Amino acid sequence: MTFPALLTEAEIKCAVDRIADEIKRDLGDQPILLVGILKGSLYFLADLSRCLGENVAIDFMQVSSYGNDRRSSGVVKILKDVDISLENRNVILVEDIIDTGITLSHLLQVLRTRNPKSLRIASLLSKTEARTANVEIDYLGFEIPNKFVVGYGLDDAERFRNLPYIAILPTGESV
Ligand code: IMP
Ligand code: MG
């Protein structure tokens, strides 16, 4: 299935390179812990981590707020926690998209209690129009319209994550 691309592979690659440069500018040679929020951040984290230097550790968390629904339920549950301690580390939370911001603001509250040296947010996409919780994104790929998108990690009920580009899900394409 081919959908018209909202963001092409080349545009995504360019944004990932830029974000890596911004991170290197801010953190220099300091060790970094990238914490990917599963599953949507999968490709972004994989590509971003390979643009950063040697001193990069990777871990994952999984939270649930949507189920198979396209709207945030507003309830955030930690399904999988990190294995690596955040204490005194430069942590960058890696997200696919910040929509309402509910998931992220909840996670930030939890992670701040674990005494990281610094805690930053990298998100490939943001839908500012949809925001209900106030969150500051340190590294952002693209601001996008308030439409449901799929590809490059983002799914519709687990479909379309593996599209190499990002597309607005055409109406009627849902399972
Ligand atoms: P928030 O709590 O509303 O900010 O929800 C963030 C999470 O919802 C993201 O990490 C995605 O997993 C999911 N999400 C939000 N918007 C979309 C979308 O347009 N397509 C696919 N998943 C989305
Ligand atoms: Mg997500």
Side-chain angles (χ1 to χ4, degrees), residues 37-41 95-97:
I37 309 305
L38 292 171
K39 301 171 195 174
S41 68
E95 264 282 24
D96 48 0
I97 186 165

Side-chain angles (χ1 to χ4, degrees), residues 51-122:
C51 296
L52 294 169
E54 290 161 23
N55 222 338
V56 175
I58 292 171
D59 208 340
F60 295 98
M61 289 184 82
Q62 185 159 22
V63 296
S64 129
S65 69
Y66 274 45
N68 278 344
D69 207 336
R70 287 199 204 153
R71 273 172 203 283
S72 184
S73 63
V75 180
V76 179
K77 225 171 42 182
I78 294 181
L79 303 178
K80 187 227 171 287
D81 209 334
V82 284
D83 302 321
I84 301 174
S85 162
L86 305 189
E87 178 105 31
N88 211 24
R89 284 179 186 263
N90 294 303
V91 176
I92 302 180
L93 271 186
V94 182
E95 264 282 24
D96 48 0
I97 186 165
I98 316 292
D99 184 18
T100 62
I102 292 169
T103 313
L104 189 65
S105 62
H106 175 85
L107 263 179
L108 285 174
Q109 274 178 31
V110 175
L111 298 186
R112 279 199 192 104
T113 66
R114 301 187 184 177
N115 304 318
K117 184 172 174 192
S118 63
L119 183 56
R120 291 175 166 84
I121 315 296

